[in-house]
Amino acid sequence: MKKIKIIGSLLLLFTAITFTSCENEPIDPAIDLTNPGNTSGQFTATIGSDNFNANQLIDAELKDTPLGTQLTIIGVTTAGKTMSIVVMNPTIGTRTATSNESSLLTFDYAASANDIYSSYNTTNSQYSGVLTISQFNIASKKISATFSYTGYGALSSTTQIQVTDGKLTNITFDDLTTGGNNPNPNPTAVFKADFNNATWNATQYQAIVSGNIIQIVGTKSNGETFAFIVDGATTGTYPANDNLLSYTPSNSDYSYWSNNISNPTENTGSITISNINTTAKTISGTFNFKGYWSDADVTTIPPVQFTNGVFTNIPYINQVQTGDTFYAKVGGVEFVDVDILTAEFSLNNQDWLSIAAQNAASNSITISVRSNVAAGTYPITGNVSADNAQGVYSVTGGTDYQSISGSVTIISKTIDHIKGTFNFVASDGTESVTISAGEFDVDY
């Protein structure tokens, strides 16, 4: 399963939508807690008047991602309380919590399955927290740091906790990187584009090929990022508005992207995959697109034209499916998925979580629920502004069936996993289709 922050097919649910970064990660920070983990080091903090001491389990991993290296640290107490920290491209020094992909820093805390907090404030779309790294040694695989943050409740940002006096002392991490700290092992790689009368050149880049999806990312040290999600894993030319091409400025939660919210059918450009070298594991191509500002509440920012885009010999990795599952019937016939994707996004200051499955014909089913929902059943009435759940069935070629009735039942939901069932009737305005026997059991 792929964890993707933004994907064009999810736009079908809404007429106005703004994506924000996933609080958990840009790629995949999940650590297998069934592994005993490393027992070296200490992970402590004060939560209000209570002490947090990860004396049951401490686990930490450093992994390669398209934006550099990502360190995830998880601590569990004997009472089962869990705290996690995700930091991109860790270095000695102090940084504040942010969703900026190349300098990502997030904190999460779960006192129980129904008592969860994040450093992301859904009310103002801001992140809270400070991390000061005093030791980060690749050779000895040790990290020491101090931290503090405000945790905002998953059900309401008005429910808050204060985490102070946080300490990571000589935590041992597993170094799972393959290329050290160099995310660009191919010296012949190029990622560039022209805009605003200048040529932009990436300093880091990587691609992921998984199922029917290609992801390509290029970034600079200041956090400026181009990110593409292409619905097709073969060479060819793909329209920009049917896929997702985006440019994110430094220190911004919003992007210029290839979808015009006011006119979704506008031809905004294209991306061409010219070569996929399965031996050298590189991908090459070109792109150009008109980028519209993704914050739908801001209408004064003009679009930007990105031209002469080139990505050459970008190293890619193959991402394999995990044990996540999705099942449904369309008109009584089983929908056989080949890809499962999850995404988190914001609409009118309300966070949503979407689970999407795609079959070999590139048809897709997408279920979306508000991020703050707990276990329970949520009816679908077709009222996007009021409903806690929505569904869409999309047929390749452009026919989109929006849910008008049905329901989604959340069986269980944790900080990074959701399980449920669904059924709905969807319509394109002329005819309807019935989605039944739906089930999902996925990480996000």
Side-chain angles (χ1 to χ4, degrees):
M1 173 178 156
K2 295 173 290 297
K3 296 175 176 66
I4 299 178
K5 180 170 65 73
I6 45 180
I7 182 166
S9 63
L10 298 180
L11 293 173
L12 302 174
L13 280 173
F14 307 105
T15 57
I17 189 171
T18 300
F19 284 99
T20 62
S21 293
C22 173
E23 290 98 284
N24 292 333
E25 24 68 32
I27 301 297
D28 187 359
I31 290 179
D32 182 8
L33 291 181
T34 62
N35 184 298
N38 61 69
T39 56
S40 173
Q42 294 181 326
F43 186 158
T44 61
T46 300
I47 303 174
S49 59
D50 297 328
N51 292 324
F52 176 91
N53 184 0
N55 52 359
Q56 176 66 31
L57 180 145
I58 302 174
D59 208 352
E61 291 180 355
L62 184 69
K63 293 183 177 180
D64 286 322
T65 80
L67 297 174
T69 56
Q70 175 180 284
L71 179 66
T72 302
I73 305 170
I74 294 179
V76 182
T77 71
T78 52
K81 298 179 180 181
T82 303
M83 189 177 296
S84 65
I85 301 172
V86 178
V87 55
M88 282 292 296
N89 298 310
T91 57
I92 293 175
T94 298
R95 69 171 71 179
T96 57
T98 177
S99 65
N100 184 274
E101 292 166 320
S102 64
S103 58
L104 178 84
L105 171 62
T106 65
F107 303 90
D108 290 282
Y109 172 69
S112 68
N114 298 314
D115 193 13
I116 300 172
Y117 302 85
S118 167
S119 58
Y120 177 68
N121 185 341
T122 58
T123 300
N124 60 16
S125 300
Q126 298 296 314
Y127 287 75
S128 164
V130 175
L131 175 72
T132 298
I133 298 176
S134 57
Q135 174 193 200
F136 181 69
N137 191 316
I138 290 291
S140 64
K141 302 177 184 178
K142 295 282 189 180
I143 182 171
S144 296
T146 59
F147 63 91
S148 63
Y149 64 94
T150 299
Y152 301 93
L155 298 180
S156 172
S157 289
T158 59
T159 302
Q160 301 176 9
I161 59 170
Q162 298 298 321
V163 180
T164 59
D165 198 29
K167 295 179 181 178
L168 306 174
T169 307
N170 288 325
I171 300 293
T172 302
F173 58 85
D174 294 326
D175 186 357
L176 304 181
T177 60
T178 57
N181 285 324
N182 179 12
N184 305 317
N186 186 350
T188 65
V190 173
F191 193 126
K192 65 180 182 178
D194 294 338
F195 64 99
N196 293 340
N197 300 314
T199 298
W200 186 96
N201 286 278
T203 57
Q204 298 178 357
Y205 30 75
Q206 193 173 21
I208 296 173
V209 177
S210 179
N212 291 333
I213 300 294
I214 293 176
Q215 302 172 65
I216 307 170
V217 175
T219 188
K220 296 177 71 170
S221 57
N222 64 358
E224 296 178 27
T225 302
F226 277 95
F228 308 146
I229 299 178
V230 181
D231 186 9
T234 61
T235 57
T237 298
Y238 301 86
N241 63 315
D242 285 344
N243 295 276
L244 191 57
L245 284 63
S246 68
Y247 165 75
T248 304
S250 178
N251 297 316
S252 175
D253 287 334
Y254 297 98
S255 308
Y256 292 92
W257 59 351
S258 59
N259 302 93
N260 182 353
I261 293 173
S262 301
N263 182 16
T265 62
E266 179 186 349
N267 179 6
T268 57
S270 65
I271 180 170
T272 297
I273 307 297
S274 58
N275 181 262
I276 302 176
N277 188 323
T278 57
T279 301
K281 291 284 186 178
T282 60
I283 189 167
S284 302
T286 59
F287 65 93
N288 68 85
F289 68 98
K290 181 190 288 186
Y292 288 88
W293 192 238
S294 64
D295 185 355
D297 295 328
V298 178
T299 59
T300 57
I301 298 178
V304 173
Q305 192 71 48
F306 301 95
T307 61
N308 300 318
V310 176
F311 51 94
T312 304
N313 295 330
I314 304 300
Y316 76 83
I317 59 175
N318 290 109
Q319 189 177 61
V320 297
Q321 299 288 332
T322 66
D324 297 333
T325 61
F326 189 101
Y327 180 87
K329 292 183 178 181
V330 178
V333 178
E334 182 180 353
F335 180 89
V336 181
D337 62 89
V338 296
D339 286 305
I340 306 173
L341 309 99
T342 60
E344 293 185 73
F345 57 89
S346 177
L347 170 65
N348 297 330
N349 293 320
Q350 173 61 56
D351 285 347
W352 289 77
L353 169 63
S354 285
I355 304 101
Q358 186 179 70
N359 66 11
S362 294
N363 301 335
S364 63
I365 299 174
T366 302
I367 300 297
S368 293
V369 295
R370 295 182 189 266
S371 295
N372 60 3
V373 300
T377 297
Y378 301 92
I380 296 174
T381 68
N383 187 339
V384 175
S385 62
D387 286 354
N388 285 312
Q390 294 290 325
V392 63
Y393 174 60
S394 177
V395 178
T396 184
T399 304
D400 306 320
Y401 297 85
Q402 311 286 343
S403 60
I404 56 177
S405 64
S407 65
V408 176
T409 297
I410 305 301
I411 298 173
S412 62
K413 180 170 178 278
T414 68
I415 195 169
D416 60 3
H417 191 89
I418 186 168
K419 178 179 181 180
T421 62
F422 63 91
N423 65 85
F424 63 89
V425 175
S427 172
D428 67 350
T430 302
E431 60 179 355
S432 61
V433 61
T434 298
I435 310 299
S436 61
E439 300 178 1
F440 55 85
D441 189 352
V442 301
D443 289 333
Y444 65 92

